[in-house]
Amino acid sequence: MGRVGLLGRIMLVLLGALSLLVVATFGIDRWQRSQEHWPYGSRFPRLDQAAGIMALLKDADPAQRPAILRAVSGEALKAEIVDAPPDATALIREPVLEARLHRLTGDSSDGIRAFTESDMLYRGKGPADAGTGTWHRSIGGLAEATYRLPDGRTLVISAIKGHHSLMPWLLGQPLSLWVAVLGVAVAGLVTVGARHELAPLRRLTEAVSRFDGRAAEPALAPQGAPEIRRLAQAVQAMQERIVGLMGERSMLIGAISHDLKTYLTRMRLRAEGIAEPERRARLVEDLDTMTALIETALGFARGTAAEVGRSPVDLADIVAVEVAEHAAQGAHISLRGEEVPDATVAGDAVALRRVVANLIGNAVKFGRSSVAVAVTRAGSACQVVVEDDGPGIPAAERSAVFSPYYRVERSRNRRTGGTGLGLAIARQIAEAHGGTIVAETAMSGGARLVVTLPALA
């Protein structure tokens, strides 16, 4: 149920209700049938009626026969008088039914004939069974009966096929079937209506997905149910508040950056004036470290408020340059995929190079002997994979390492643990470019970081 959408849930509820309706209708139909009393005086109502018609027309005045025929013909049987017996070659003679008609009419002559046909045979019976078996069991229902009247003419009584009572059947089909058909029609109408009513909610979802905190989405036209309209208004107001807060945050970051840099520059100038070389060197080193820390922290804080420039960037070229720089500094690093011709993405080249630099820098720092970098293009995405043979990242911490100031190396020594912002900044930049970054385990047991970015078509 967790993957079923709102429309699917509505349809499941509707189908469940319709199923209960069909089951209830079927149950009521069966109960009603069980409560109905048998309307006939015997188990053979057609034979009873046919015998009555024969007895009535046997002694009737020929002038009254047309009126009698009209009166006795109904929904189950049709009676007519013909001059010659009809052709019965397509029918199956039924001696058991004949014997019953003889008994019911009290006529022992051989003028009564009874027939059934293949469509009315009981299950498991065939034409060869006629006249065999037990005396009191017929092989099929009454299809036609003939009776030779005293004046030599023949009374033909034919059974009307497809007859059903009006109560449980409608237009020749069970009432429960019509309920099911009606349920399907109602379900179709409800589906169309529900899709129409949920359209504003889908548009609202798309608008929220596009919102990046920089500018509020255009106001949606007020459509749909009152609840959806109020939700759209609340989302619009929330987006405007977020945009305002992000703007204030950017201004605050800019002010802090300007003021801190001013005072750090003054402190560095004053430190340069210290006469003792050792003390001056330590002070300048501390100021440089403080400047780097502040720049990194402000860069991370500024990241969600900064716009990402969109221009074609050759990812393979950026990776190759960064790998060459680390190799020139003595790192044992290898590159695969530097000649990939279509590893082009849309974004900010400076920001993307910072992502690659952070990943390779971490791998060089924590790797024991070597680092492997690969650039690939798979379908509509480009990937940069950085692997090292260091201690790796525990499975429980692979998501946490991308959090600000989180470090697998627990010490606060910047020489071994860093600032704790490198991977957080890398993820921030990757997500701003519509990509992802994940941590895995390399074949060597070290860390394997994979950056995936949408390729430029």
Side-chain angles (χ1 to χ4, degrees):
M1 286 295 292
R3 298 183 178 180
V4 181
L6 181 57
L7 179 61
R9 291 169 186 254
I10 293 174
M11 293 308 303
L12 286 176
V13 172
L14 177 62
L15 291 176
L18 291 175
S19 300
L20 289 176
L21 177 62
V22 171
V23 171
T25 303
F26 180 75
I28 293 173
D29 182 49
R30 292 293 298 270
W31 175 80
Q32 185 177 5
R33 287 170 179 264
S34 66
Q35 297 299 313
E36 290 179 351
H37 297 289
W38 189 252
Y40 308 108
S42 73
R43 296 175 54 203
F44 311 104
R46 289 187 176 182
L47 287 177
D48 279 349
Q49 187 178 357
I53 295 172
M54 292 176 182
L56 183 61
L57 290 174
K58 175 181 178 182
D59 301 323
D61 186 348
Q64 296 179 347
R65 287 177 178 175
I68 295 174
L69 291 175
R70 287 194 299 272
V72 299
S73 296
E75 297 177 352
L77 295 177
K78 176 185 176 182
E80 58 181 342
I81 296 177
V82 296
D83 294 329
D87 183 13
T89 55
L91 301 175
I92 304 169
R93 189 170 176 183
E94 227 320 346
V96 176
L97 297 181
E98 288 182 10
R100 288 175 182 165
L101 286 174
H102 280 295
R103 187 169 60 255
L104 292 171
T105 59
D107 190 337
S108 58
S109 66
D110 61 351
I112 297 178
R113 294 287 186 271
F115 303 91
T116 187
E117 57 184 12
S118 57
D119 293 343
M120 301 181 72
L121 291 174
Y122 298 143
R123 183 176 299 178
K125 300 294 183 180
D129 297 319
T132 63
T134 58
W135 165 254
H136 61 283
R137 292 185 180 177
S138 60
I139 65 170
L142 178 65
E144 184 177 284
T146 61
Y147 177 55
R148 188 170 64 249
L149 297 172
D151 60 358
R153 303 186 73 188
T154 302
L155 170 65
V156 180
I157 302 173
S158 305
I160 298 177
K161 297 180 181 179
H163 165 69
H164 299 288
S165 63
L166 294 178
M167 186 63 188
W169 296 73
L170 180 63
L171 301 179
Q173 299 296 333
L175 185 60
S176 56
L177 176 62
W178 289 109
V179 172
V181 172
L182 178 62
V184 172
V186 170
L189 292 175
V190 171
T191 302
V192 175
R195 286 182 61 85
H196 179 267
E197 290 299 321
L198 291 176
L201 191 59
R202 289 196 296 271
R203 289 194 291 270
L204 178 61
T205 303
E206 294 171 357
V208 173
S209 300
R210 292 192 300 267
F211 179 63
D212 57 4
R214 299 183 179 93
E217 287 291 318
L220 296 174
Q223 295 178 346
E227 294 82 359
I228 296 179
R229 296 186 182 188
R230 289 195 293 270
L231 177 61
Q233 293 172 356
V235 169
Q236 182 72 22
M238 180 189 66
Q239 289 183 350
E240 293 173 356
R241 289 195 299 270
I242 291 175
V243 170
L245 291 172
M246 294 295 289
E248 294 176 2
R249 181 171 177 260
S250 298
M251 293 178 60
L252 180 63
I253 291 171
I256 292 174
S257 176
H258 178 269
D259 292 343
L260 284 176
K261 286 181 179 179
T262 299
Y263 286 104
L264 285 173
T265 302
R266 290 180 184 177
M267 292 175 67
R268 185 180 180 89
L269 290 174
R270 291 172 182 173
E272 293 290 346
I274 296 177
E276 300 177 18
E278 184 178 353
R279 185 178 176 188
R280 182 176 64 249
R282 287 201 301 268
L283 244 151
V284 170
E285 183 181 359
D286 288 344
L287 285 172
D288 289 342
T289 302
M290 185 184 300
T291 302
L293 281 170
I294 291 173
E295 287 290 345
T296 302
L298 289 175
F300 174 77
R302 192 184 298 114
T304 54
E307 291 286 345
V308 175
R310 299 294 178 184
S311 60
V313 177
D314 188 342
L315 201 59
D317 183 58
I318 289 177
V319 174
V321 170
E322 197 63 36
V323 168
E325 287 191 3
H326 281 81
Q329 296 173 9
H332 296 282
I333 185 169
S334 63
L335 174 62
R336 178 172 56 86
E338 67 271 22
E339 302 298 332
V340 176
D342 53 354
T344 306
V345 299
D348 185 342
V350 175
L352 291 175
R353 182 170 178 180
R354 186 172 188 181
V355 173
V356 176
N358 285 352
L359 299 186
I360 295 179
N362 278 352
V364 171
K365 183 185 298 183
F366 295 105
R368 294 189 178 95
S369 59
S370 63
V371 174
V373 182
V375 181
T376 60
R377 166 74 183 262
S380 60
C382 295
Q383 282 190 340
V384 178
V385 181
V386 180
E387 297 183 356
D388 62 61
D389 57 354
I393 302 173
E397 301 185 54
R398 288 176 188 167
S399 297
V401 292
F402 296 102
S403 301
Y405 301 107
Y406 186 92
R407 297 186 296 186
V408 177
E409 202 279 331
R410 299 299 183 184
S411 73
R412 304 307 296 175
N413 189 338
R414 292 194 63 245
R415 297 183 183 276
T416 59
T419 64
L421 284 174
L423 291 181
I425 292 175
R427 183 181 67 172
Q428 185 184 77
I429 296 173
E431 290 180 350
H433 285 76
T436 61
I437 178 170
V438 295
E440 301 173 351
T441 301
M443 295 294 293
S444 61
R448 182 177 190 266
L449 295 171
V450 182
V451 181
T452 304
L453 297 169
L456 193 63

